[in-house]
Amino acid sequence: MARISNTKGIKAAGGSQFELIMAASGRARSYSADNQPLTPHFNKRGMTALREIEQGLVAYDDIKEMMINKNQSVFPKEADPILDN
């Protein structure tokens, strides 16, 4: 297992290695035919996502917001899909 020292990425994530890894994993899972990596990728998806965050190609706040929206299970009353049926 390789050691990763990603100080720029950690600073972008507010100083937390955990937040950086969570953001990178969310970004890596979002890759698809429509959502290609923004940097040349020769490694696995996680490393590519870490490089994107470190280089500033993807904003940490955007990834965090995407992960929250994707995993949100409680909706406001006016937007509750179960009550609308």
Coordinates of all heavy atoms in Angstrom, one line a residue:
M1 N 0.9 -1.2 0.0 CA 0.0 0.0 0.0 C 0.9 1.2 0.0 O 1.8 1.3 0.8 CB -0.9 0.0 1.2 CG -1.8 1.1 1.3 SD -2.9 1.0 2.7 CE -4.2 0.0 2.0
A2 N 0.6 2.2 -0.9 CA 1.4 3.4 -1.0 C 1.0 4.4 0.1 O -0.2 4.5 0.4 CB 1.3 3.9 -2.4
R3 N 2.0 5.2 0.5 CA 1.6 6.3 1.4 C 1.4 7.5 0.5 O 2.1 7.8 -0.4 CB 2.8 6.6 2.3 CG 3.0 5.5 3.4 CD 3.9 6.0 4.4 NE 3.1 5.9 5.7 CZ 3.5 6.4 6.8 NH1 4.6 7.1 6.9 NH2 2.8 6.2 7.9
I4 N 0.4 8.2 0.9 CA 0.0 9.4 0.1 C 0.2 10.7 1.0 O -0.4 10.7 2.1 CB -1.4 9.3 -0.4 CG1 -1.6 8.1 -1.3 CG2 -1.8 10.6 -1.1 CD1 -3.0 7.8 -1.6
S5 N 1.0 11.6 0.6 CA 1.1 12.9 1.3 C 0.5 13.9 0.4 O 1.1 14.3 -0.6 CB 2.6 13.2 1.6 OG 2.7 14.5 2.1
N6 N -0.7 14.3 0.7 CA -1.4 15.2 -0.2 C -1.8 16.5 0.6 O -2.9 16.7 1.0 CB -2.7 14.5 -0.7 CG -3.3 15.2 -1.8 OD1 -3.2 16.4 -2.0 ND2 -4.1 14.5 -2.6
T7 N -0.8 17.3 0.9 CA -1.0 18.5 1.8 C -2.0 19.5 1.1 O -2.8 20.1 1.8 CB 0.3 19.1 2.1 OG1 1.0 19.5 0.9 CG2 1.2 18.2 3.0
K8 N -1.8 19.7 -0.2 CA -2.8 20.6 -0.8 C -4.2 20.1 -0.8 O -5.1 20.9 -0.5 CB -2.3 20.8 -2.3 CG -1.1 21.6 -2.5 CD -0.8 21.8 -4.0 CE 0.5 22.5 -4.2 NZ 0.9 22.6 -5.6
G9 N -4.4 18.9 -1.0 CA -5.7 18.3 -0.9 C -6.3 18.4 0.5 O -7.5 18.6 0.7
I10 N -5.4 18.1 1.5 CA -5.9 18.2 2.9 C -6.3 19.6 3.2 O -7.3 19.8 3.9 CB -4.8 17.7 3.8 CG1 -4.6 16.2 3.6 CG2 -5.1 17.9 5.3 CD1 -3.4 15.6 4.3
K11 N -5.5 20.6 2.8 CA -5.9 22.0 3.0 C -7.2 22.3 2.3 O -8.0 23.1 2.9 CB -4.8 22.9 2.5 CG -3.6 22.9 3.4 CD -2.5 23.8 2.9 CE -1.3 23.8 3.8 NZ -0.2 24.6 3.2
A12 N -7.5 21.8 1.1 CA -8.7 22.0 0.4 C -9.9 21.4 1.1 O -11.0 22.0 1.1 CB -8.6 21.5 -1.0
A13 N -9.7 20.4 1.9 CA -10.7 19.7 2.6 C -10.9 20.2 4.0 O -11.5 19.6 4.9 CB -10.5 18.2 2.6
G14 N -10.3 21.3 4.3 CA -10.4 21.9 5.7 C -9.5 21.3 6.7 O -9.7 21.5 7.9
G15 N -8.4 20.7 6.3 CA -7.4 20.1 7.2 C -7.7 18.7 7.7 O -7.0 18.3 8.6
S16 N -8.7 18.1 7.2 CA -9.0 16.7 7.6 C -8.7 15.7 6.6 O -9.3 15.8 5.5 CB -10.5 16.7 8.0 OG -10.9 15.4 8.2
Q17 N -7.9 14.7 6.9 CA -7.6 13.6 6.0 C -8.8 12.8 5.7 O -9.0 12.3 4.6 CB -6.5 12.7 6.5 CG -5.1 13.4 6.6 CD -4.1 12.4 7.2 OE1 -4.4 11.4 7.7 NE2 -2.8 12.8 7.0
F18 N -9.6 12.6 6.7 CA -10.9 11.8 6.5 C -11.8 12.5 5.5 O -12.3 11.8 4.6 CB -11.6 11.7 7.9 CG -12.9 10.9 7.8 CD1 -12.9 9.6 7.7 CD2 -14.1 11.6 7.8 CE1 -14.1 8.9 7.6 CE2 -15.3 10.9 7.7 CZ -15.3 9.5 7.6
E19 N -12.0 13.8 5.6 CA -12.8 14.5 4.7 C -12.3 14.4 3.3 O -13.0 14.3 2.3 CB -13.0 16.0 5.1 CG -13.8 16.2 6.4 CD -15.2 15.9 6.2 OE1 -15.8 16.1 5.1 OE2 -15.9 15.5 7.2
L20 N -10.9 14.5 3.2 CA -10.3 14.4 1.8 C -10.6 13.0 1.2 O -11.0 12.9 0.0 CB -8.8 14.7 1.9 CG -8.0 14.4 0.6 CD1 -8.4 15.4 -0.4 CD2 -6.5 14.5 0.9
I21 N -10.4 12.0 2.0 CA -10.6 10.6 1.5 C -12.1 10.4 1.1 O -12.4 9.8 0.1 CB -10.1 9.6 2.5 CG1 -8.6 9.7 2.7 CG2 -10.5 8.2 2.0 CD1 -7.8 9.6 1.4
M22 N -13.0 10.9 1.9 CA -14.4 10.8 1.6 C -14.8 11.5 0.3 O -15.5 11.0 -0.5 CB -15.3 11.3 2.8 CG -15.2 10.5 4.0 SD -15.7 8.8 3.8 CE -17.5 9.0 3.4
A23 N -14.2 12.7 0.2 CA -14.5 13.5 -1.1 C -13.9 12.8 -2.3 O -14.5 12.7 -3.3 CB -13.9 14.9 -0.9
A24 N -12.7 12.3 -2.1 CA -12.0 11.6 -3.3 C -12.8 10.3 -3.6 O -13.0 10.0 -4.8 CB -10.6 11.2 -2.9
S25 N -13.3 9.6 -2.6 CA -14.1 8.4 -2.9 C -15.4 8.7 -3.6 O -15.9 8.0 -4.5 CB -14.3 7.5 -1.7 OG -15.2 8.2 -0.8
G26 N -16.0 9.8 -3.2 CA -17.3 10.3 -3.8 C -17.0 10.7 -5.3 O -17.8 10.4 -6.1
R27 N -15.9 11.4 -5.5 CA -15.6 11.8 -6.8 C -15.3 10.6 -7.7 O -15.7 10.5 -8.8 CB -14.4 12.8 -6.8 CG -13.9 13.1 -8.1 CD -14.8 14.0 -8.9 NE -14.2 14.3 -10.2 CZ -14.9 14.5 -11.3 NH1 -16.2 14.4 -11.3 NH2 -14.2 14.7 -12.5
A28 N -14.5 9.6 -7.2 CA -14.2 8.4 -7.9 C -15.4 7.6 -8.3 O -15.5 7.1 -9.4 CB -13.2 7.6 -7.1
R29 N -16.4 7.6 -7.4 CA -17.6 6.8 -7.7 C -18.5 7.5 -8.7 O -19.3 6.9 -9.4 CB -18.4 6.6 -6.4 CG -17.8 5.6 -5.5 CD -18.7 5.3 -4.3 NE -18.0 4.6 -3.3 CZ -17.7 5.0 -2.1 NH1 -18.1 6.2 -1.8 NH2 -17.1 4.2 -1.3
S30 N -18.3 8.8 -8.9 CA -19.1 9.6 -9.9 C -18.6 9.5 -11.3 O -19.3 10.0 -12.2 CB -19.2 11.0 -9.4 OG -18.0 11.7 -9.7
Y31 N -17.4 8.9 -11.5 CA -16.9 8.7 -12.9 C -17.9 7.8 -13.7 O -18.3 6.8 -13.2 CB -15.5 8.1 -12.9 CG -14.5 9.0 -12.3 CD1 -13.4 8.4 -11.7 CD2 -14.5 10.3 -12.4 CE1 -12.3 9.1 -11.2 CE2 -13.5 11.1 -11.8 CZ -12.4 10.5 -11.2 OH -11.4 11.3 -10.7
S32 N -18.2 8.3 -14.9 CA -19.0 7.5 -15.8 C -18.6 8.0 -17.2 O -17.7 8.7 -17.5 CB -20.5 7.7 -15.5 OG -20.8 9.0 -15.8
A33 N -19.4 7.5 -18.2 CA -19.2 7.9 -19.6 C -19.4 9.4 -19.7 O -18.8 10.1 -20.5 CB -20.1 7.1 -20.5
D34 N -20.4 9.9 -19.0 CA -20.7 11.4 -19.1 C -19.8 12.2 -18.2 O -19.7 13.4 -18.4 CB -22.2 11.6 -18.7 CG -23.1 10.9 -19.6 OD1 -22.7 10.7 -20.8 OD2 -24.2 10.6 -19.2
N35 N -19.2 11.6 -17.1 CA -18.5 12.4 -16.2 C -17.0 11.8 -16.1 O -16.7 11.0 -15.2 CB -19.1 12.2 -14.8 CG -18.5 13.2 -13.8 OD1 -17.7 14.0 -14.1 ND2 -18.8 12.9 -12.5
Q36 N -16.2 12.2 -17.1 CA -14.9 11.7 -17.2 C -13.9 12.4 -16.3 O -14.2 13.6 -15.9 CB -14.4 11.9 -18.7 CG -15.1 11.0 -19.7 CD -14.7 9.6 -19.5 OE1 -13.6 9.2 -19.2 NE2 -15.7 8.7 -19.6
P37 N -12.8 11.8 -15.9 CA -11.8 12.5 -15.0 C -11.3 13.7 -15.8 O -11.1 13.7 -17.0 CB -10.7 11.4 -14.8 CG -11.4 10.1 -15.1 CD -12.5 10.4 -16.1
L38 N -10.9 14.7 -15.0 CA -10.4 16.0 -15.6 C -8.9 16.0 -15.7 O -8.4 17.0 -16.2 CB -10.9 17.1 -14.7 CG -12.4 17.3 -14.6 CD1 -12.8 18.4 -13.6 CD2 -13.1 17.5 -15.9
T39 N -8.2 15.0 -15.2 CA -6.8 14.9 -15.3 C -6.4 13.6 -16.0 O -7.2 12.7 -15.9 CB -6.2 15.1 -13.9 OG1 -4.8 15.1 -14.0 CG2 -6.5 13.9 -13.0
P40 N -5.2 13.5 -16.6 CA -4.8 12.3 -17.2 C -4.8 11.2 -16.1 O -4.2 11.4 -15.0 CB -3.4 12.5 -17.8 CG -3.4 14.0 -17.9 CD -4.3 14.6 -16.9
H41 N -5.3 10.0 -16.4 CA -5.4 9.0 -15.3 C -4.7 7.7 -15.8 O -5.0 7.1 -16.8 CB -6.9 8.7 -15.0 CG -7.7 8.4 -16.2 ND1 -8.0 7.2 -16.6 CD2 -8.4 9.3 -17.0 CE1 -8.8 7.2 -17.7 NE2 -9.0 8.5 -17.9
F42 N -3.7 7.4 -15.0 CA -2.9 6.2 -15.3 C -3.0 5.2 -14.1 O -2.6 4.1 -14.1 CB -1.5 6.5 -15.6 CG -1.3 7.4 -16.7 CD1 -0.9 8.7 -16.5 CD2 -1.5 7.0 -18.0 CE1 -0.8 9.6 -17.5 CE2 -1.4 7.9 -19.1 CZ -1.0 9.2 -18.8
N43 N -3.6 5.7 -13.0 CA -3.7 5.0 -11.8 C -5.2 4.6 -11.6 O -6.0 4.8 -12.5 CB -3.3 5.8 -10.6 CG -1.8 6.2 -10.6 OD1 -1.4 6.7 -11.6 ND2 -1.1 5.8 -9.6
K44 N -5.5 4.1 -10.4 CA -6.9 3.8 -10.1 C -7.7 5.0 -9.9 O -7.2 6.1 -9.8 CB -6.9 2.9 -8.9 CG -6.3 1.5 -9.2 CD -6.5 0.6 -8.0 CE -5.9 -0.8 -8.4 NZ -6.1 -1.8 -7.4
R45 N -9.0 4.9 -9.8 CA -9.9 6.0 -9.7 C -9.7 6.9 -8.5 O -9.8 8.1 -8.5 CB -11.4 5.5 -9.7 CG -11.8 4.9 -11.0 CD -13.2 4.3 -10.8 NE -13.7 3.9 -12.1 CZ -14.9 3.6 -12.3 NH1 -15.8 3.8 -11.4 NH2 -15.3 3.2 -13.5
G46 N -9.4 6.2 -7.4 CA -9.2 7.0 -6.1 C -8.0 7.9 -6.2 O -8.0 9.1 -5.8
M47 N -6.9 7.5 -6.8 CA -5.7 8.3 -7.0 C -6.0 9.4 -8.0 O -5.5 10.6 -7.8 CB -4.5 7.5 -7.5 CG -3.9 6.6 -6.4 SD -3.3 7.5 -5.0 CE -2.0 8.5 -5.7
T48 N -6.7 9.1 -9.0 CA -7.1 10.2 -10.0 C -7.9 11.2 -9.3 O -7.7 12.4 -9.5 CB -7.9 9.5 -11.2 OG1 -7.0 8.5 -11.7 CG2 -8.2 10.6 -12.2
A49 N -8.9 10.8 -8.5 CA -9.7 11.8 -7.8 C -8.9 12.7 -6.8 O -9.1 13.9 -6.7 CB -10.8 11.1 -7.0
L50 N -8.0 12.0 -6.1 CA -7.1 12.8 -5.2 C -6.3 13.8 -6.0 O -6.1 15.0 -5.5 CB -6.1 11.9 -4.5 CG -6.7 11.1 -3.3 CD1 -5.7 10.1 -2.8 CD2 -7.1 12.1 -2.2
R51 N -5.8 13.5 -7.1 CA -5.0 14.4 -8.0 C -5.9 15.6 -8.4 O -5.5 16.7 -8.5 CB -4.4 13.7 -9.2 CG -3.3 12.8 -8.8 CD -2.4 12.5 -9.9 NE -1.3 11.7 -9.5 CZ -1.2 10.4 -9.6 NH1 -2.2 9.7 -10.1 NH2 -0.1 9.7 -9.1
E52 N -7.2 15.3 -8.8 CA -8.1 16.3 -9.2 C -8.3 17.3 -8.1 O -8.3 18.5 -8.4 CB -9.4 15.7 -9.7 CG -9.4 15.0 -11.0 CD -10.7 14.5 -11.4 OE1 -11.6 14.3 -10.5 OE2 -10.9 14.2 -12.5
I53 N -8.5 16.8 -6.9 CA -8.7 17.7 -5.8 C -7.5 18.5 -5.5 O -7.6 19.7 -5.2 CB -9.2 16.9 -4.6 CG1 -10.6 16.3 -4.8 CG2 -9.3 17.8 -3.3 CD1 -11.0 15.3 -3.8
E54 N -6.3 17.9 -5.5 CA -5.1 18.6 -5.2 C -4.8 19.7 -6.2 O -4.3 20.7 -5.9 CB -3.9 17.6 -5.2 CG -2.6 18.2 -4.8 CD -1.5 17.2 -4.8 OE1 -1.3 16.5 -5.8 OE2 -0.7 17.2 -3.9
Q55 N -5.1 19.4 -7.5 CA -4.8 20.4 -8.5 C -5.9 21.5 -8.6 O -5.7 22.4 -9.4 CB -4.7 19.7 -9.9 CG -3.5 18.8 -10.0 CD -3.5 17.9 -11.3 OE1 -4.4 18.0 -12.1 NE2 -2.5 17.1 -11.4
G56 N -6.9 21.3 -7.9 CA -8.0 22.4 -7.9 C -8.9 22.3 -9.1 O -9.7 23.2 -9.3
L57 N -8.9 21.1 -9.7 CA -9.8 21.0 -10.9 C -11.2 20.7 -10.5 O -12.2 21.0 -11.3 CB -9.3 19.8 -11.8 CG -7.9 19.9 -12.4 CD1 -7.5 18.7 -13.1 CD2 -7.9 21.1 -13.3
V58 N -11.4 20.2 -9.3 CA -12.8 20.0 -8.8 C -12.8 20.6 -7.4 O -11.9 20.4 -6.6 CB -13.0 18.4 -8.7 CG1 -14.4 18.2 -8.1 CG2 -12.9 17.8 -10.0
A59 N -13.8 21.4 -7.1 CA -13.9 22.0 -5.8 C -14.4 21.1 -4.8 O -15.4 20.3 -5.0 CB -14.9 23.2 -5.9
Y60 N -13.8 21.1 -3.6 CA -14.2 20.2 -2.5 C -15.6 20.4 -2.1 O -16.4 19.4 -1.9 CB -13.3 20.4 -1.3 CG -13.7 19.8 -0.1 CD1 -13.6 18.4 0.1 CD2 -14.3 20.5 0.9 CE1 -14.1 17.8 1.3 CE2 -14.8 19.9 2.1 CZ -14.6 18.6 2.2 OH -15.1 18.0 3.4
D61 N -16.1 21.7 -2.1 CA -17.5 22.0 -1.7 C -18.5 21.4 -2.7 O -19.6 20.9 -2.3 CB -17.7 23.5 -1.6 CG -16.9 24.0 -0.4 OD1 -16.6 23.3 0.6 OD2 -16.5 25.2 -0.5
D62 N -18.1 21.4 -4.0 CA -19.0 20.8 -5.0 C -19.2 19.3 -4.8 O -20.3 18.7 -4.9 CB -18.5 21.1 -6.4 CG -18.6 22.5 -6.7 OD1 -19.3 23.3 -6.0 OD2 -17.9 22.9 -7.7
I63 N -18.1 18.6 -4.5 CA -18.1 17.2 -4.2 C -18.9 16.9 -3.0 O -19.7 15.9 -3.0 CB -16.7 16.6 -4.1 CG1 -15.9 16.8 -5.4 CG2 -16.7 15.1 -3.7 CD1 -14.4 16.5 -5.2
K64 N -18.7 17.6 -1.9 CA -19.4 17.4 -0.7 C -20.9 17.6 -0.9 O -21.7 16.8 -0.4 CB -18.9 18.4 0.4 CG -19.4 18.2 1.7 CD -18.7 19.1 2.7 CE -19.3 19.0 4.1 NZ -18.6 19.9 5.1
E65 N -21.3 18.6 -1.6 CA -22.7 18.9 -1.9 C -23.3 17.8 -2.7 O -24.5 17.3 -2.5 CB -22.9 20.2 -2.6 CG -24.3 20.7 -2.8 CD -25.0 21.0 -1.4 OE1 -24.3 21.5 -0.5 OE2 -26.2 20.9 -1.3
M66 N -22.6 17.3 -3.7 CA -23.0 16.2 -4.5 C -23.3 14.9 -3.7 O -24.3 14.2 -3.8 CB -22.0 15.8 -5.6 CG -22.5 14.8 -6.6 SD -21.5 13.2 -6.7 CE -20.0 13.5 -5.9
M67 N -22.4 14.6 -2.8 CA -22.5 13.4 -1.9 C -23.7 13.6 -1.0 O -24.4 12.6 -0.7 CB -21.2 13.2 -1.1 CG -20.1 12.7 -2.0 SD -18.5 12.6 -1.1 CE -18.9 11.6 0.3
I68 N -23.9 14.8 -0.4 CA -25.0 15.0 0.5 C -26.4 14.8 -0.3 O -27.3 14.1 0.2 CB -25.0 16.4 1.1 CG1 -23.8 16.5 2.1 CG2 -26.3 16.8 1.7 CD1 -23.5 17.9 2.6
N69 N -26.5 15.4 -1.5 CA -27.7 15.2 -2.3 C -27.9 13.8 -2.7 O -29.1 13.3 -2.7 CB -27.6 16.1 -3.5 CG -27.7 17.6 -3.1 OD1 -28.2 18.0 -2.1 ND2 -27.2 18.4 -4.0
K70 N -26.9 13.1 -3.0 CA -27.0 11.7 -3.5 C -27.5 10.8 -2.3 O -28.3 9.9 -2.5 CB -25.7 11.2 -4.0 CG -25.7 9.8 -4.4 CD -24.4 9.3 -4.9 CE -24.4 7.8 -5.3 NZ -23.1 7.3 -5.5
N71 N -27.0 11.0 -1.1 CA -27.3 10.1 0.0 C -28.4 10.6 1.0 O -28.6 10.0 2.0 CB -26.0 9.9 0.8 CG -25.0 9.2 0.0 OD1 -25.3 8.3 -0.7 ND2 -23.7 9.7 0.1
Q72 N -29.0 11.8 0.6 CA -30.0 12.3 1.5 C -31.3 11.5 1.5 O -31.8 11.1 0.4 CB -30.3 13.7 1.1 CG -31.3 14.5 2.0 CD -31.5 15.9 1.6 OE1 -31.1 16.3 0.5 NE2 -32.0 16.7 2.5
S73 N -31.8 11.1 2.6 CA -33.0 10.3 2.7 C -34.1 11.0 3.3 O -35.2 10.5 3.3 CB -32.7 9.0 3.4 OG -32.3 9.3 4.8
V74 N -33.9 12.1 3.9 CA -34.9 12.9 4.6 C -35.1 14.2 3.7 O -34.2 14.9 3.5 CB -34.6 13.3 6.0 CG1 -35.7 14.1 6.6 CG2 -34.4 12.0 6.8
F75 N -36.4 14.4 3.3 CA -36.7 15.5 2.4 C -37.6 16.5 3.2 O -38.4 16.1 4.0 CB -37.4 15.0 1.1 CG -36.5 14.1 0.3 CD1 -36.7 12.7 0.4 CD2 -35.6 14.6 -0.5 CE1 -35.9 11.9 -0.3 CE2 -34.8 13.8 -1.3 CZ -35.0 12.4 -1.2
P76 N -37.5 17.8 2.8 CA -38.5 18.7 3.4 C -39.9 18.3 3.0 O -40.1 17.7 2.0 CB -38.1 20.0 2.8 CG -36.7 19.9 2.3 CD -36.6 18.4 2.0
K77 N -40.9 18.7 3.9 CA -42.3 18.2 3.6 C -42.8 18.6 2.3 O -43.5 17.9 1.6 CB -43.2 18.8 4.7 CG -43.1 18.1 6.0 CD -44.3 18.5 6.9 CE -44.3 17.5 8.0 NZ -45.6 17.6 8.7
E78 N -42.4 19.8 1.8 CA -43.0 20.3 0.5 C -42.4 19.5 -0.7 O -42.9 19.5 -1.7 CB -42.8 21.8 0.3 CG -41.4 22.2 0.4 CD -40.9 22.6 1.8 OE1 -41.7 22.4 2.7 OE2 -39.8 23.0 1.9
A79 N -41.2 18.8 -0.5 CA -40.6 18.1 -1.6 C -40.6 16.6 -1.3 O -39.8 15.9 -1.9 CB -39.2 18.6 -1.8
D80 N -41.4 16.1 -0.4 CA -41.4 14.7 -0.1 C -42.0 13.9 -1.2 O -43.2 14.0 -1.5 CB -42.1 14.5 1.3 CG -41.9 13.1 1.8 OD1 -41.3 12.2 1.1 OD2 -42.3 12.8 3.0
P81 N -41.3 13.0 -1.9 CA -41.8 12.3 -3.0 C -42.9 11.3 -2.6 O -43.8 10.9 -3.4 CB -40.6 11.6 -3.6 CG -39.6 11.5 -2.5 CD -39.9 12.7 -1.6
I82 N -42.9 10.8 -1.4 CA -43.9 9.8 -0.9 C -45.2 10.5 -0.8 O -46.3 9.9 -1.1 CB -43.4 9.1 0.4 CG1 -42.1 8.3 0.1 CG2 -44.5 8.2 0.9 CD1 -41.5 7.8 1.3
L83 N -45.2 11.7 -0.2 CA -46.5 12.3 0.0 C -47.1 12.9 -1.2 O -48.3 13.1 -1.3 CB -46.3 13.5 1.0 CG -45.9 13.1 2.4 CD1 -45.6 14.3 3.3 CD2 -46.9 12.2 3.1
D84 N -46.3 13.1 -2.3 CA -46.8 13.6 -3.5 C -47.7 12.6 -4.4 O -48.4 13.0 -5.2 CB -45.7 14.2 -4.4 CG -45.1 15.4 -3.8 OD1 -45.7 16.0 -2.9 OD2 -43.9 15.7 -4.2
N85 N -47.5 11.3 -4.0 CA -48.2 10.3 -4.8 C -49.6 10.2 -4.5 O -50.4 10.2 -3.7 CB -47.5 9.0 -4.7 CG -46.2 9.0 -5.4 OD1 -46.0 9.8 -6.4 ND2 -45.3 8.2 -5.0

